[in-house]
Amino acid sequence: MMKCLVLVIVGMIAGVCSHSWMSCPPSFDTSPSRGGNTVGPCEREGRKKIVTEVRAGDRLKVGWTSNNHAGGWVRLALVPDGQHKVYEHFEKNVLKIVCYGHDERKGRTSYGDCIHPCNARKGCEYMANKYDGNRYDTTIKIPYNLAEGVYILQYMSAMSAHKTFYYSCARLKIVGGEPSLPCKRTGLAPVAHGCMAGTAVPLTKYEQNTKMGDFCFSPKGLGDQDADMSRVPINPECDPRITCQLSVNSKQCMSEDNKMKDIVDSWDPKQTCKGEIVPPPEPTCSDGIKNNGEQMIDCGGPECEKCFEEPTEPVDTRIYKSLDYTQKQWEDGNINIRAVVTVSKDANDWRYTMFFTKAVDIRTFWGCKIISHNDFKTIWTFGPQHWTKKIKPGQVIQLGFNGKFEADGEYPECVTKNFRAYDPDAY
């Protein structure tokens, strides 16, 4: 059984493990109901091979779904097609290491997690400043020295509290390169500034056994890959947030003014960009936005004056002392789940949520009643029976569930277990 982090966010408490994948450019598996892949070096590829066409020197938007998680880094690497089945090939061809991301709005990130989309950057916007790297995306420059052909871009991250790396890959067709350029490099790839650390895997693990690839980012030689970061990427319309169906609070996700409703196809998430895409204005120390590497809004970081108020974690509002989860599954697709919650605080109502890596059809349950599930049947929320609605410290809530999943050789993994007090006025 996986060990999970306790999450406290806007009055919502959860035991959380992590999963995520690259969604811009399209990865090998674009299903919005998929789970993360911890085997690597890439996930299983779908029937249709999706290829993103780029030219040497292009900037490409690269983004990933937050999936309610925050903190950590993302390592991006690029190898020729055919070499992508060997971990070491990616390790020796790293492009850069960037921030995974977190919700920078006050009180929105706690204990390594947030509510998807976690203020991630939407489609038709892109990262144009190296100090604005905490919104679940970046841009890369396509090297000038690669021979024409198909290449595999790899995403690798152990976000939030997860102790294992997740892997995702995208297929790029690169043209216009000049392989004769002298591009020998030594040393490690560059690391982004101002990342919120994950709570389990340190940066040194991302850098272990790696080197920067022999890439040229100038038509004349080595160059700096982010010297022209403000330039508009070729795919600004791509929206890495995918869908509110991935949120532990889909109602809140849809209610915010974030254009999530404008994503028509979650298999190919995009926004319709109106007018010419131009670089965003340069951040300042008086724009009312936490950006440019600031420690808090308009203070701290490399450019602004020191903050007078130090940022703090919100008060721990957990309502349970322990949450013991057990799961049994069989090759025929049957699954049995038990959850035992020991309460630590009074509450007039509660909700219990489970987030699976693949669809689970829960057919029977006891100790609770069903409240909702998302379209993919990956997120299920349950509430109390009338005799367990009001809970007190020391009370033990026992819950059970039986269901079915597709017997394709892969078992569902519960990556979020969430038990929280429920206030109807807050949702």
Side-chain angles (χ1 to χ4, degrees):
M1 184 173 69
M2 301 183 67
K3 295 182 179 179
C4 301
L5 173 74
V6 173
L7 161 69
V8 183
I9 181 92
V10 222
M12 190 172 68
I13 318 302
V16 178
C17 303
S18 314
H19 66 308
S20 185
W21 59 87
M22 179 163 50
S23 44
C24 294
S27 64
F28 282 7
D29 182 358
T30 61
S31 170
S33 61
R34 59 167 285 180
N37 178 286
T38 58
V39 178
C42 297
E43 67 269 70
R44 181 186 300 176
E45 194 160 17
R47 294 180 180 177
K48 181 180 179 181
K49 290 186 177 180
I50 301 175
V51 180
T52 300
E53 297 186 359
V54 295
R55 293 191 63 84
D58 281 346
R59 292 210 72 89
L60 182 71
K61 180 178 180 178
V62 181
W64 42 92
T65 170
S66 80
N67 273 25
N68 309 286
H69 305 306
W73 292 268
V74 171
R75 194 192 76 189
L76 298 173
L78 185 68
V79 303
D81 190 12
Q83 295 187 18
H84 64 287
K85 297 181 180 181
V86 180
Y87 293 92
E88 289 77 9
H89 291 164
F90 286 111
E91 290 175 352
K92 304 309 178 187
N93 288 279
V94 178
L95 285 162
K96 58 182 177 179
I97 297 174
V98 300
C99 307
Y100 177 75
H102 68 278
D103 194 330
E104 297 178 294
R105 296 172 296 179
K106 188 173 182 179
R108 296 299 189 97
T109 293
S110 301
Y111 301 92
D113 290 275
C114 48
I115 296 176
H116 180 76
C118 300
N119 200 37
R121 212 179 323 264
K122 61 179 76 74
C124 303
E125 297 179 358
Y126 67 97
M127 181 182 172
N129 180 290
K130 65 180 180 179
Y131 295 123
D132 188 22
N134 278 295
R135 298 188 65 189
Y136 301 90
D137 69 345
T138 186
T139 64
I140 62 170
K141 189 167 188 175
I142 304 302
Y144 281 97
N145 62 308
L146 301 182
E148 182 172 330
V150 176
Y151 292 78
I152 306 301
L153 175 66
Q154 185 204 49
Y155 156 106
M156 186 189 87
S157 181
M159 71 301 293
S160 188
H162 208 278
K163 299 178 181 179
T164 305
F165 284 111
Y166 281 84
Y167 301 89
S168 185
C169 293
R171 197 176 298 275
L172 309 180
K173 182 179 180 180
I174 300 176
V175 299
E178 179 47 70
S180 65
L181 284 172
C183 304
K184 184 68 176 178
R185 291 183 183 268
T186 60
L188 301 176
V191 178
H193 171 86
C195 303
M196 186 179 84
T199 58
V201 177
L203 176 61
T204 53
K205 290 291 185 181
Y206 290 78
E207 297 179 311
Q208 187 173 328
N209 299 322
T210 69
K211 69 172 289 290
M212 189 173 183
D214 293 331
F215 301 127
C216 276
F217 299 106
S218 165
K220 297 181 180 180
L222 292 175
D224 178 356
Q225 63 180 308
D226 286 336
D228 60 348
M229 180 174 261
S230 63
R231 187 156 57 94
V232 179
I234 64 169
N235 60 334
E237 71 285 346
C238 189
D239 197 321
R241 304 171 302 166
I242 305 178
T243 174
C244 282
Q245 292 293 329
L246 297 173
S247 179
V248 294
N249 191 335
S250 59
K251 185 176 180 181
Q252 177 176 316
C253 173
M254 291 297 288
S255 66
E256 292 184 350
D257 184 21
N258 55 22
K259 292 187 176 293
M260 291 295 291
K261 297 177 181 178
D262 295 337
I263 301 175
V264 177
D265 183 0
S266 56
W267 287 75
D268 185 20
K270 295 178 180 178
Q271 296 282 344
T272 300
C273 304
K274 298 179 180 179
E276 181 184 2
I277 304 297
V278 297
E282 287 292 324
T284 71
C285 298
S286 59
D287 56 15
I289 303 171
K290 186 177 182 292
N291 52 23
N292 208 25
E294 295 165 355
Q295 186 182 17
M296 298 175 66
I297 294 174
D298 292 340
C299 69
E303 305 291 339
C304 303
E305 293 183 1
K306 182 179 178 180
C307 300
F308 292 103
E309 176 189 355
E310 290 297 323
T312 59
E313 290 278 11
V315 176
D316 186 348
T317 55
R318 274 172 283 187
I319 66 166
Y320 65 88
K321 181 179 180 181
S322 64
L323 195 166
D324 297 323
Y325 176 94
T326 57
Q327 174 180 312
K328 294 181 179 179
Q329 61 277 315
W330 293 268
E331 293 181 356
D332 62 358
N334 283 293
I335 186 170
N336 172 264
I337 297 166
R338 299 291 179 93
V340 180
V341 182
T342 302
V343 178
S344 62
K345 293 184 179 181
D346 292 305
N348 291 323
D349 200 351
W350 53 266
R351 293 292 183 268
Y352 175 70
T353 299
M354 295 181 289
F355 189 166
F356 298 97
T357 56
K358 64 182 295 183
V360 175
D361 186 9
I362 295 178
R363 299 181 176 182
T364 60
F365 40 88
W366 55 96
C368 57
K369 63 182 180 182
I370 187 169
I371 300 297
S372 65
H373 63 74
N374 67 346
D375 293 344
F376 308 134
K377 293 188 176 181
T378 54
I379 302 179
W380 291 78
T381 297
F382 297 84
Q385 297 287 2
H386 65 86
W387 58 87
T388 58
K389 187 173 183 179
K390 288 188 177 183
I391 53 178
K392 296 181 178 181
Q395 186 173 347
V396 176
I397 306 295
Q398 299 194 42
L399 309 174
F401 312 89
N402 286 322
K404 298 280 292 184
F405 61 91
E406 183 181 1
D408 58 0
E410 292 188 5
Y411 293 151
E413 177 186 341
C414 184
V415 293
T416 298
K417 291 168 278 292
N418 174 312
F419 186 83
R420 55 178 164 77
Y422 176 71
D423 179 359
D425 295 331
Y427 295 91

